[in-house]
Every structure is written in structure tokens, then in C-alpha cells.
Amino acid sequence: MKKKRKKAQIYSNNDGEKERETFLGKQKKVIYHGREFIIELLDNHQIMIDGYVFSPKVVQQTENRFKVSFGKFQFILENINGKLFLEGEEVDINIKPYIDLSKSNSGPKIPQKAVVKAPIPGKILQILVNPNDTVDKNQEILILEAMKMRNRILAPISGKIDKIYSKLGDKVAQDQELLTIINE
Amino acid sequence: MTLQSVLIANRGEIAVRIIRACRLQGIYTIAIFSSDDTHSLHVKMADECFSLGSGSVQETYLNIPKILEILDKSNADAVHPGYGFLSENAEFAKAVEASGKIFIGPKSEIIDYLGDKIKAKNIAREVGLPVVPGSTGFVHTFEEAKQIAEDIGYPIIIKSAFGGGGRGMERVNSVHTLRSAFEGCQAISEQFFGRKEVFIEKFIKNPRHIEIQFIGDHFGNVIHLGDRECSIQRSNQKLIEEAPSFLDRNIVDELGEKVCDLAKNLGYVNAGTAEFLWKDNHLYFNEINPRIQVEHPVTEMITGIDLVVEQLKVAAGEPLSYKQDEISFQGHAIEFRINAEDPYAQNLPQSGKITQVIIPGGSNVRFDTFIYPQYSIPNHFDSLVGKLIVWGKNREQAILMARNALKELTISGVKTNIELHQAIIETREYQQWLISTGFLNQINITKILRNYEYMKIAAISQVFELFNISQQNIVPEVPKNPIRNMWRESARREQVR
């Protein structure tokens, strides 16, 4: 099965080619394995993530490997054939500039739409919502059976169920669209 | 008689485990495999193999006529069913017996008898083991179910009388959801176990799961190999098992004796496990599992006995190699089920190609697995990819061993639950052994996992910042002299010659 993975990368808006990229003092939005975090580099090589401050120390550095220590916990970061691996797992990270919308108070809210896809191939055991139902974020919306387990599919955003593309008993492929949620 | 060759009617790590035991006994091994398992380790390791063709589990590893046909074609003397699949299928065991071959496990009548959870409870009562309050027979109608539920009081649990592995089991808190749960359990039982009978028990909230391993031979000898605790579970699937349990040694001796009595009364031959629930200083007999269990290695680690080798000996008609007073228990062992599941995304099962495996080493560390680099995990089997087992002089030492071994264990290409195990053993409750089957619901594991995730992002950001890494220097430069195709190169040389 093919896995969709993004290359590890930093989006930066620096214009000088040799200029050192830094995001010291600037907040960035990090999307790590599909989950969002807000990070900020502080002085003294400290890093704040979602309000928690960490002091990582690079304790080992070779050509393509770094070991970062947090005291009791250590992580190995490796660059293998241009791909970044953390503790053996390929890193899927995306760092973007972050603008705090709550502070800027700008204009009307943009409607959000989320397409819920099957995370794994399986069979639809239960559909717990109907079109036009309002759901909360992380509410159970669907049960998918795969590898003999019942897998709960949760709503990625709060909103209204727009369309349901699958029905009970359907066998679905990975990444097949199951339903959409709209948040107006 | 001795066994010459054994057919292993299973796959995955347990098939590999059985092949290892057979090799120790000089037994020729025969594997069966579905087309998805063509590259599976058990097939590579076995002396001989037979294809089950392609299709669902029902068409392959659960396909009794097909497996019997292969058994007939092969020169196997015996069949080892492992766990899961056909291991508790009395019909299969009976057919194997009828073919004149040996089923490595208890006799088919015993499997049939114990498969009926009501009968099992009754025989446990006879030897003086306490049982969970509930229906004394099958419950056929909703009205009956309602009456029993009112008698024993809610919450109750509806279980499949012929099921196992927690499948179809459903907790009911009030009469409002009784009908849907009752009918749902009947439907699932019929679908998976072929019989729709269900029974009702009082729901014991968040008990501790304790079990006793025993083994009997054809000469009426039965010994027990102590206790295990398997309380760390997620949706009724065990995750971490350890031996011994927290119980007082005198209680374990008494329990073990009673379990041996039960097995003797039944005429039980081969390995089995008696499961108990413990709550508020009360122990309740739950059921007997007439097979080798996933967690058998923790018992092996504290007793030094190879349980699968013993199974093979007993099946061959040899007496047990040990007497009860020769069994002693040393130290503490813990097993971690390594599943291809993403603990950061609702534990969704993962499939895909393994790119790297680093197996922890050192003394008293064992890793039973069937994965290897370049192996692709197929997606219609269960998600267990390996079992990490560690041993220490005491529980504290065992946890220390586990911490180091889990840190070393690296599986790339497919997400696994290694970090979930790391998070569990760092909790105060786990370390102080204050656990129950409700552990994962009560303890905020997500918070610990989130903290790991923060550290990972901090580590990446720090490296990016300090070493000025960006996209340009992560993507490799295109080599100036691309590596020549080896074959073309040698062909070119041939021409030159």
C-alpha cells in the first residue's frame, strides 16, 4: 500500500540566499503528522510549544544524525537519503508562518469544510450521524471495521454533516471520502 | 511415540514460536499460508509449506475443509493450532482426531465443553472456585434477559456463550439499552462463532485480570505454572501482561491447586489457562482458555519452562517433564504487545512495508516477532507485530529493563504502539502496581503522549534552528556521477573482454 508522506520542509520567506533562516521570536504554525501546534523560539535555545517551554540540547552530532536530549528523554534525528527520521519514524512536518487570528479580529469567519476519509481500508459497521446533524469536534461519527477491530472515526471539526457518501456495510478503500462536515 | 512432523495451522509470531519449539524437538515443520502471507516469516522458516490460496480469513486460516485436505496430503502426525483462528474450534479438533492425527491441545469434547461458558462456570463451582453472579444457563429471550438483569442488578454484561476474545461482549447499564445490546450480541455471536446463544453476568467494573497457567498429560498429572496479571487492556484486548501477579503467594498456591483439580476432573490434557477477575479482595472465576496464550512467555521467563515444547511432549504421549514441587518461580517478567497501531490517531491499525527493525538485546530480553525489513504487513489480520518480553529480579528491575528495551526497539515504515507502552510504564499507577482493566480509561495517557509529541517537535525545531537545516539540505544533491547499473556495467565488461 502506498503511503502519502510529505517531505520534511520549512517554508520560509527569506529572500537572501545565504541568509540564516531563523524564526526566533516569531510564532509558527507546525503541522506534525497532520496535527497542528504553535511554536515559538525563545532566548537561550528554549522552545515554546502550545504554551509549554522545552530546553532541548543537541548532545550528539554526526554528518547526518543528531541526538537531542531533554534530560530523561532523548530522541535521535537522522537524515537518510534526504528524508528526515525521528526515532526511526519518517518525519512529516510542515512549518508555516502563524498569524494569530483571534488578535487581529479581521472580517467575517471563513466557512470551514472537512472531508472525512477512511484512514484504513475496511468495512462501515455503523454510521452514527445523519445529514444535517450538528456534531462536535472529536464526536464519534462512524465505526469502521478493519483488522478485526472496531475503529472509531471522529469528527475533525465541529459543524453540520453535509453529505454522507457511504452506506452501512460498504467496503471502503484507504482515503476514500466518507462524508463532509461544514462549519459556517 | 514421538512426533515426526507437525503442521502449524496459524501464522504470525505464534507460528514462528511453534516452529522454534519443533526444531528443539527435532520435529519437521509444515506451514500453511494465505497468498497475503507468501513472504511471511513462518513460511520461510518451516521445512515445508502449503498454500491456502487467496481470500478472506474465512477462506484461508479458518477454512477447515481446506486445512484438513492439506493435513491429509502432508505427512504431518499432528496439528498445532496456536492461538486464535481454529485453536478453540471443537469441530476442527474433532475432525483432526477422526483423521487419525493428533490435535495439539485438549480433546475436542473438552474444547466443546469449555466452549460452553455456562458449563465451565458450573465445573469451577464444583471444585470450590467462586464464580461471577449471573444467569445459570443460556438466555434466549429479551424478557428472560430483563428478569435476570433485574435480579442481579445493573450494570450487567452480555456475553457470547461460545465466543472468546471479548468479541460481541457488551455492557448494559439500564433496561433502555438492553434490547439492542442483547440482540446485537446474538447477531455477532452467530456471525463469528456460529451459535447465537448468549448469557448474562453481573458487570464487574474495572477488575484486575488474573490467570493461572496449567498443563496436564495423558497420565492424569496436572501441574500449574503460577499466575499472570493481564490488567492493562484496551477495548478488551490485552496490551501488557506480567508474571507473577500481585496476589499473595498463599492465595496463588490455593488457586493453582483448585485449577489443577478442575483440570483433573475434566480429564484435561495439554496446556490451558484459567482466567479470574479480581475486585475489592474478591476473586471470581471467568473462563478456561483451552490453548496456548499470547502471553505464555512471561510464565516461561519466571519458570524456565518451554511451554510449547511441553505441549509437543504431552501431545506425543510423554508424561510431563516436571512435578508440581519441581516448579519454582524466579523474579518478574513483563510482556508488551507491539501492535501496528497509531496511538496518536485513535489507535488505528496500520499496514505497509517495514523498512527497518532494531531489536533490543542484552540478557533477559526476548522479542518474538515475524516482521523483518522489507516485509509488508497485510491488512486483514490482527495488528500484533511482536511481543517484547523482559525479565528482572523483581518488578522494579523488570520495569527498568522494559524502559531500556522499549527505547531500543525501533520499527520503521509502519507506526506502532511502542510509545504508548513507554507512556504507560512511566505512570505512577503502573509503577506502584495500582492497575485494573480500566487503566487506559482512567489514566490520561494522551497527556503523556502529547508531551512526547511536544518534545519531538522541539527536537526537530532545535536541529533546524541550530544547524540551519532547511529543505535545500534535507533533499540530497543529485549525484554528479550517477551509480552505474551493475548489470549494464558487467555486460559492458563482457563485451570489452
Side-chain angles (χ1 to χ4, degrees), chain B residues 217-221 269 317-320:
Chain B
D217 64 17
H218 284 100
F219 305 93
N221 304 309
V269 174
E318 289 179 40
L320 287 172

Side-chain angles (χ1 to χ4, degrees), chain A residues 20 22 35 74 82 88-89, chain B residues 349 407 412 415 453 465 474:
Chain A
R20 184 172 156 76
T22 180
R35 293 177 287 277
Q74 296 187 329
E89 186 186 4
Chain B
K407 180 74 198 153
S412 307
K415 289 185 176 130
E453 206 157 47
E465 173 68 12
I474 282 176

